Amino acid sequence: MRTPTAVRPDERDDPAEPRVPDGSRGSAVARWSLRHRALVVVAWLLLLLAGAAAFAGGTTTSDEEGVGQSQRAADALEAAGFSEPLTETVVVSLPAGAAALPAGAESAAAAAVASAHRGDDLVREVGEVARSADGRVLAVPLVLSVDPETGYAEAVERVPAAVRRTAAVQDELRAALGRPDVVVGQVGSASISEEVGGRLERDLHRAELVSLPITLLVLLLAFGSVVSAVVPLLLGVVAVVVALGASALVSHVHPVAEEATSLTVLIGLAVGVDYALFVLHRARLARRSGLPVRAAVLLATRTAGHAVVVSGATVVVSMLGMLVAGGLYTSLALGAAFVVAVAVLASATLLPVLLDVLGDRVDALRLPWRRDARRGARRAERVSPVGRAAAAASGRPVLSLVLGAGLLVALTLPLAGLRTGLPGDDALPRELPTVQTLHRLTGAFPSQGPTAQVVVTAPAASAGAARTALADLAGERGAGEGGAPVTSSSDGRTHVVTVPLDSGVDSGPEADRAVAALRERVGPAVAERVPDAEVSVGGGVATGSDLARWMVDRLPWVVGFVLALTFAVVAVAFRSPLLALVTVLLNTLSCAAALGVVAGVFQGTWAQDLLGFTSTGTVVAYLPVLMFVVLFGLSMDYHVLVVSSVREEFAAGSAPARAVRVGVARSAGVVTSAAAVMVAVFALFGTLSDPGLKQLGVGLAVAVLLDATVVRALVLPAALRAMGRRAGGRPVRQVVPAQGGEAVRGEAVGA
């Protein structure tokens, strides 16, 4: 082995760049950035401004694509020229058990609604009023003037004014009908989208605002100084803003789902802060060991910075795994990959410059009770609970593996009963006025509840038989109040009827079974009467059922892609196929445990009041794929840092037991701080009203907590101890600073 040599202060390749020990000169990118500090700062300022401007002018749209039989039904209707106008419904209702509305209520309601919306150019006409079977509810259709294909966003933007006009009708009808208990409301796809979307936007804004001070508080407790806490937070904000700008530019050429923006903020703030935290933590340790400021920064980029690159590459690979699935996952993958790549780039270029400029002032504005943190930092890490747990685990590796892995396996048990679905109307927040109006409408008019569209395409000569078959079907299922239910195209080749489903909900297993049962019965029945017909069942419920099934079917492909590429990346980075295999197995088990917790919580009702949701008995269909790729990537943050620290001890000649014990203990403080940041950010998203984001936030928070405790403090140390020196991969050079103090050994990964 090459003997470590001290480096005299006057030994420099560049007078502006102090030489550091061999193997710790820092990455080429960091050296270049330090030589061109002004250029780097200006470039990042321009990127930040451009990102903010691009995001302000970007667009978000639905990125979901139809699949299966429901998409065939939609295609047939579109090809035949079917186009239904956008409508809203004014609902006039009385409480349950009240006497029926008086005769003439229909005309009074129609007149009052028409008067209220006179002059409102969003409403084209007021339709015919329908009365419920018990006479307590009236439905007054409002036909909107906007184009149903291109004007939906306009309708959502303008519908609040129409809702306010409708609200003014209530007092007028109470007086006209002599019924003070009359309740008037308005509901439709536009008004629901506006109210639910507005609430979600406010929730997201609140979560984003709260996450910043919480993250700052965690960093203050971790570093003990204001400046050290602000630097990682700044890097996280920069990564999010620049990545949102990149996604906004993409939105002009490819649809970007609204969920992609939320995921970018969620992931970007977490990884941006964590990556900066790792490098800053290592730079402070190197500085305290006696290295000059720039030498300490370069050593940090060579060790922790290289670990960040490996971790970031793995996260990007995991996120891009969603491209295998396509559809909604495409924009989610691009948004998450953008923000992780930007976070890695910022930690490799902007962060070294900031640390070099700040120097020892990075510890400025220390908290009063942390004045002695410099002298006690290393000792605190060595006696931390995580460090003690790691020492115990490495001392009894078999027992620790059995206990830790057994706990994780136990948490995966709810996956055996995993049920997925896309949230429907039954998952909407029941306290919203439009949702309450919707329930009054669907309760009074079954045809307004869960329905399906049966579409028949047949030769024009069979038009009569096709119409008769569909009319009989509608009659059997109680559809078609108020007129002939079957609608035909002008060429007599395509026919459609809307029928109620045998389901009390519009999503989940019950809705899936209702759609499947209808398809099994309708297809053969129509084919028997119209031999040349093509039959398909579509509509909103069927579309959700088909899409949910498709999303779950993508999971094996995504998992296989991520596992294969992650194994390759880790094997190359650590130069150890065995270590790569252990990494893949541990991360997979950790992801499965977190998803098991989500299934156990959200498929039941026991946590509804605690977390503020209405259980539909399902997990959102896109969550298994999304959680797997996100968690598999994020878990690499801690894994790379811990393994790198252990490898340094191996490089310094430590025995396996000591290498694991000291390596895990040395990284315990920064791992705990990083985990606290992620848990805090993710938990905030668990407070949102959107079912998917709530489940994602809770799942990610639980996963990171498990990963930083059970996996990194118990299972991983035991696994590394059982592997012995094979956990060290290819040997790396020993590094001893010439300036004295405690040695900062080795390299983070065997580069």
Side-chain angles (χ1 to χ4, degrees):
M1 172 181 282
R2 178 176 171 177
T3 303
T5 57
V7 180
R8 295 192 302 273
D10 58 343
E11 289 183 357
R12 303 178 183 177
D13 296 328
D14 182 343
E17 181 181 298
R19 184 173 179 178
V20 295
D22 184 30
S24 60
R25 285 181 50 79
S27 68
V29 174
R31 294 199 306 272
W32 184 91
S33 299
L34 292 175
R35 291 193 187 102
H36 305 85
R37 298 190 311 188
L39 178 61
V40 170
V41 172
V42 170
W44 276 104
L45 283 175
L46 292 177
L47 280 175
L48 188 63
L49 293 174
F55 179 65
T59 60
T60 55
T61 60
S62 174
D63 197 25
E64 295 183 9
E65 298 176 0
V67 295
Q69 190 177 141
S70 58
Q71 184 60 36
R72 293 198 299 273
D75 292 341
L77 292 176
E78 182 179 2
F82 283 90
S83 179
E84 295 184 1
L86 283 176
T87 61
E88 292 278 307
T89 302
V90 176
V91 180
V92 180
S93 61
L94 294 173
L101 288 164
E106 289 91 339
S107 58
V113 171
S115 175
H117 289 281
R118 187 173 294 116
D120 183 359
D121 56 0
L122 177 63
V123 177
R124 188 177 71 197
E125 63 178 283
V126 177
E128 184 178 349
V129 181
R131 180 189 283 258
S132 64
D134 61 7
R136 292 188 302 105
V137 181
L138 302 178
V140 187
L142 300 178
V143 181
L144 305 188
S145 58
V146 297
D147 184 275
E149 298 296 331
T150 62
Y152 186 74
E154 179 187 354
V156 172
E157 181 179 353
R158 296 171 58 188
V159 78
V163 172
R164 289 191 293 271
R165 289 172 180 265
T166 295
V169 172
Q170 181 168 282
D171 290 339
E172 180 180 348
L173 282 180
R174 285 179 174 179
L177 300 176
R179 298 295 297 268
D181 51 353
V182 165
V183 176
V184 178
Q186 180 177 319
V187 65
S189 60
S191 55
I192 288 179
S193 294
E194 193 281 329
E195 191 167 44
V196 174
R199 173 171 175 171
L200 178 59
E201 185 177 351
R202 292 190 296 273
D203 286 350
L204 285 171
H205 184 63
R206 172 179 51 81
E208 291 161 6
L209 289 179
V210 174
S211 66
L212 294 178
I214 289 181
T215 301
L216 182 61
L217 176 61
V218 173
L219 293 172
L220 278 172
L221 296 176
F223 286 117
S225 81
V226 174
V227 177
S228 293
V230 168
V231 169
L233 186 60
L234 175 64
L235 267 290
V237 172
V238 167
V240 168
V241 173
V242 174
L244 287 176
S247 296
L249 292 177
V250 172
S251 72
H252 294 288
V253 296
H254 185 279
V256 174
E258 295 179 358
E259 294 86 352
T261 299
S262 302
L263 184 65
T264 298
V265 174
L266 185 71
I267 301 300
L269 188 59
V271 301
V273 169
D274 275 10
Y275 291 165
L277 189 154
F278 294 159
V279 176
L280 174 57
H281 171 80
R282 189 55 186 274
R284 296 172 91 213
L285 287 181
R287 179 73 179 117
R288 289 167 189 165
S289 72
L291 286 177
V293 170
R294 182 164 292 190
V297 172
L298 288 172
L299 179 61
T301 63
R302 182 69 171 178
T303 54
H306 200 169
V308 165
V309 172
V310 174
S311 175
T314 308
V315 176
V316 170
V317 166
S318 297
M319 300 303 174
L320 293 181
M322 287 187 285
L323 294 178
V324 176
L328 168 68
Y329 296 114
T330 299
S331 58
L332 296 179
L334 293 177
F338 278 147
V339 77
V340 174
V342 173
V344 171
L345 184 62
S347 69
T349 57
L350 179 60
L351 182 59
V353 171
L354 292 178
L355 296 181
D356 187 56
V357 171
L358 289 171
D360 288 335
R361 288 171 296 182
V362 76
D363 288 323
L365 302 178
R366 297 196 66 83
L367 301 179
W369 60 87
R370 294 292 297 273
R371 298 291 185 188
D372 60 345
R374 291 174 181 267
R375 294 190 298 271
R378 291 180 179 275
R379 180 184 176 190
E381 287 180 352
R382 289 191 180 116
V383 299
S384 68
V386 175
R388 289 195 296 269
S394 60
R396 297 176 178 269
V398 176
L399 178 61
S400 299
L401 276 174
V402 171
L403 290 177
L407 174 60
L408 295 176
V409 169
L411 293 175
T412 68
L413 294 180
L415 288 180
L418 180 66
R419 300 183 299 275
T420 61
L422 291 177
D425 293 340
D426 50 305
L428 295 174
R430 296 182 181 275
E431 65 273 15
L432 297 181
T434 53
V435 177
Q436 294 172 358
T437 303
L438 175 65
H439 289 307
R440 290 197 296 271
L441 177 65
T442 56
F445 298 92
S447 62
Q448 299 294 324
T451 60
Q453 288 181 316
V454 181
V455 180
V456 174
T457 302
S462 303
R467 289 180 56 84
T468 301
L470 290 181
D472 291 346
L473 171 67
E476 292 174 5
R477 305 189 70 82
E481 306 100 318
V486 180
T487 304
S488 301
S489 62
S490 57
D491 61 5
R493 296 174 54 86
T494 304
H495 317 273
V496 59
V497 66
T498 300
V499 298
L501 284 169
D502 297 328
S503 169
V505 294
D506 57 1
S507 64
E510 185 178 349
D512 294 342
R513 288 191 294 268
V515 170
L518 180 62
R519 286 172 172 168
E520 290 176 3
R521 191 170 69 84
V522 167
V526 174
E528 182 179 351
R529 301 175 65 174
V530 191
D532 297 327
E534 294 182 5
V535 184
S536 53
V537 174
V541 179
T543 297
S545 177
D546 289 343
L547 192 57
R549 188 182 306 109
W550 175 87
M551 288 178 174
V552 174
D553 290 343
R554 298 299 95 189
L555 183 60
W557 296 97
V558 174
V559 169
F561 175 87
V562 171
L563 292 183
L565 284 190
T566 300
F567 177 86
V569 170
V570 176
V572 171
F574 287 118
R575 299 184 174 120
S576 171
L578 178 60
L579 191 56
L581 178 61
V582 170
T583 297
V584 167
L585 291 177
L586 286 184
N587 287 0
T588 302
L589 182 59
S590 178
C591 294
L595 188 55
V597 171
V598 170
V601 169
F602 289 96
Q603 288 185 179
T605 59
W606 62 272
Q608 286 186 138
D609 294 336
L610 179 64
L611 297 177
F613 70 97
T614 300
S615 176
T616 60
T618 62
V619 170
V620 176
Y622 60 74
L623 203 67
V625 168
L626 185 57
M627 273 191 63
F628 176 81
V629 296
V630 172
L631 291 178
F632 204 91
L634 294 183
S635 62
M636 289 303 298
D637 286 351
Y638 312 135
H639 190 92
V640 169
L641 191 69
V642 173
V643 171
S644 299
S645 184
V646 171
R647 282 168 56 87
E648 290 181 36
E649 289 299 318
F650 276 118
S654 296
R658 173 178 170 77
V660 173
R661 183 176 66 254
V662 175
V664 175
R666 185 167 56 206
S667 60
V670 69
V671 166
T672 301
S673 300
V677 169
M678 282 197 176
V679 170
V681 172
F682 294 156
L684 283 173
F685 278 75
T687 66
L688 301 182
S689 56
D690 180 81
L693 292 177
K694 180 184 288 290
Q695 292 179 16
L696 181 63
V698 171
L700 293 181
V702 170
V704 172
L705 189 60
L706 287 174
D707 203 63
T709 53
V710 177
V711 176
R712 306 307 161 201
L714 191 63
V715 181
L716 179 60
L720 294 176
R721 177 66 180 86
M723 292 170 62
R725 289 200 171 274
R726 290 174 295 178
R730 180 177 170 180
V732 294
R733 290 190 296 270
Q734 181 180 0
V735 177
V736 180
Q739 286 76 13
E742 184 173 340
V744 181
R745 302 185 179 96
E747 301 178 12
V749 294

